[in-house]
Amino acid sequence: MLQRSNIVSPEEELQDFYEELRAQHVTPAWISGGVGVEPKSKAVPYVWHWCDLRPQAMRAAQLVGTEQAERRVLRLHNPELEGSSASNTLVANIQIVMPGEIARAHRHSPSALRFIIEGSGGYTVVNGARIPMFPGDLVLTPNWTWHDHANDTDAPMIWLDGLDTPLVRMLEAGFYEQYGEEAQPVGEGSDPSLAKYGVGGLRPVWEPAPTARYSPLWHYPLSQARVALERLAAEGAGSPFDGVILEYTNPLTGGPTMPTIACYIQLLQPGEHTQAHRQVCCTNYHVIEGSGYSLVGGRQLDWEDKDVFTVPTWTFHEHVNTGSRPALLFSFTDAPVMKALDLYREEAQG
Ligand SMILES: [Fe+2]
């Protein structure tokens, strides 16, 4: 009869064997841990408050120029992660560009999003297309697109940067290139990607459909998203786990904005308390407006306007709007990566 073998060796002999292997850069798998029964993130739930972040962003703007810093960025780092990132695969950073400043043109293989927190205009140029930036707008600078930022207003511009740099670094797939000039020449149109792709279900016929895997729409104004959210909220629609939640999509495919990052906006009604669920993806949230708290893996994260918080992968979370206004949350996740690799799951609590 075939059966499992039972070999009990003297501890000293085993340790000698392991020592010899170590010297040869070989590791016995049976003593080095395997796959857990479920994901357990090193990252912890955490919230960064705007009342702390904004003064430090302003201080950075006094102390460091955009000549000294390629990008004047404050990285929000998760207390339990070794790298300076808010979550396992996605950073959530605060960037500030002061009146009269530019941040010069470059491109990189990490994909990036900008979610505008403060400012009264200013713009990003993406592959020659000028994109105006207003509070609550989502702007994409996808994988390997040239981008530079400029503030031609009289007020500071501050936004949330979301990038997949930790993932790209882990995959050892990062490239970076400086543009030949400080800024790109700006092409025609005041907001060309929005003009071409900003109305759902319609696309220009005189040029071929873009074949890049990222969205050809690079500007998602809050004014459009708000109308959609409020229309659905008025009809009582939504998810028991997330309230009225909408995904920003690639208008050509209906898929995520970029191959590695999915973006969402959600509305929680005053008094709403969502049911808990968890997914195999890490999520960084930005509170566009509203006040309340989220229960994340047993921790209470209190939030109000412009705060940022992170929910690690496979961690139960529920949201509570304690204010008298509807709460609007922006979030971005690595779900497209998990789905592409057949690693995605979700589960309701209880
Ligand atoms: Fe960049």
Side-chain angles (χ1 to χ4, degrees):
M1 192 180 75
L2 296 173
Q3 58 184 11
R4 301 207 294 167
S5 58
N6 183 8
I7 304 170
V8 180
S9 304
E11 190 57 28
E12 198 174 320
E13 197 175 345
L14 281 173
Q15 290 308 326
D16 285 350
F17 176 47
Y18 297 159
E19 194 51 49
E20 243 174 68
L21 287 173
R22 233 185 320 271
Q24 295 166 336
H25 299 283
V26 177
T27 302
W30 60 92
I31 62 164
S32 54
V35 178
V37 296
E38 62 178 23
K40 177 79 189 80
S41 186
K42 283 197 187 76
V44 291
Y46 196 76
V47 59
W48 293 264
H49 295 291
W50 187 241
C51 59
D52 299 324
L53 294 174
R54 190 184 189 280
Q56 302 294 29
M58 292 301 290
R59 183 130 192 261
Q62 287 172 347
L63 294 174
V64 181
T66 50
E67 266 200 53
Q68 283 71 38
E70 175 77 15
R71 293 294 188 260
R72 192 194 285 116
V73 162
L74 297 175
R75 293 182 175 152
L76 310 188
H77 76 252
N78 192 285
E80 296 299 328
L81 288 180
E82 279 158 28
S84 47
S85 68
S87 65
N88 183 39
T89 61
L90 300 172
V91 303
N93 299 334
I94 300 296
Q95 181 165 171
I96 180 165
V97 180
M98 294 299 279
E101 281 182 349
I102 62 163
R104 66 179 176 174
H106 68 201
R107 65 178 174 178
H108 35 71
S109 34
S111 303
L113 64 88
R114 328 286 167 183
F115 197 86
I116 319 311
I117 301 174
E118 214 182 281
S120 52
Y123 60 93
T124 288
V125 180
V126 184
N127 279 356
R130 187 184 196 276
I131 300 174
M133 302 166 92
F134 290 95
D137 289 4
L138 171 65
V139 171
L140 306 183
T141 61
N143 175 320
W144 211 236
T145 54
W146 293 110
H147 54 281
D148 51 278
H149 311 292
N151 185 351
D152 56 356
T153 77
D154 54 11
M157 290 175 62
I158 311 180
W159 62 77
L160 180 77
D161 273 331
L163 292 96
D164 57 9
T165 36
L167 175 70
V168 174
R169 192 174 298 125
M170 191 268 279
L171 296 172
E172 300 183 331
F175 290 87
Y176 173 89
E177 191 178 355
Q178 202 67 54
Y179 193 68
E181 312 284 329
E182 293 259 296
Q184 302 170 69
V186 176
E188 285 185 11
S190 61
D191 196 353
S193 87
L194 186 73
K196 288 177 183 172
Y197 294 99
V199 176
L202 294 170
R203 99 172 162 81
V205 172
W206 64 90
E207 53 184 40
T211 52
R213 289 188 58 203
Y214 53 71
S215 170
L217 176 60
W218 299 333
H219 184 197
Y220 300 78
L222 178 61
S223 54
Q224 288 186 352
R226 191 189 288 278
V227 168
L229 288 169
E230 289 176 351
R231 195 161 46 206
L232 287 162
E235 293 185 358
S239 145
F241 304 104
D242 282 305
V244 184
I245 184 163
L246 298 173
E247 181 174 359
Y248 295 88
T249 58
N250 174 336
L252 289 179
T253 64
T257 53
M258 296 181 282
T260 51
I261 308 178
C263 299
Y264 306 86
I265 186 168
Q266 69 195 90
L267 182 152
L268 304 169
Q269 299 280 17
E272 183 164 357
H273 186 153
T274 65
Q275 292 174 29
H277 71 158
R278 61 182 177 178
Q279 297 114 322
V280 177
C281 64
C282 58
T283 309
N284 294 317
Y285 288 86
H286 165 68
V287 181
I288 303 168
E289 58 195 39
S291 53
Y293 64 91
S294 298
L295 295 172
V296 185
R299 294 193 195 192
Q300 179 169 332
L301 306 179
D302 293 312
W303 43 256
E304 56 185 3
D305 294 53
K306 301 174 182 174
D307 289 353
V308 179
F309 63 97
T310 189
V311 174
T313 197
W314 207 236
T315 305
F316 282 115
H317 54 280
E318 57 198 88
H319 307 297
V320 187
N321 179 359
T322 57
S324 53
R325 308 167 281 168
L328 292 187
L329 306 180
F330 168 74
S331 60
F332 60 103
T333 83
D334 60 0
V337 177
M338 302 306 176
K339 289 174 181 174
L341 302 178
D342 287 348
L343 296 171
Y344 186 79
R345 297 188 193 195
E346 56 184 78
E347 182 180 271
Q349 192 167 37

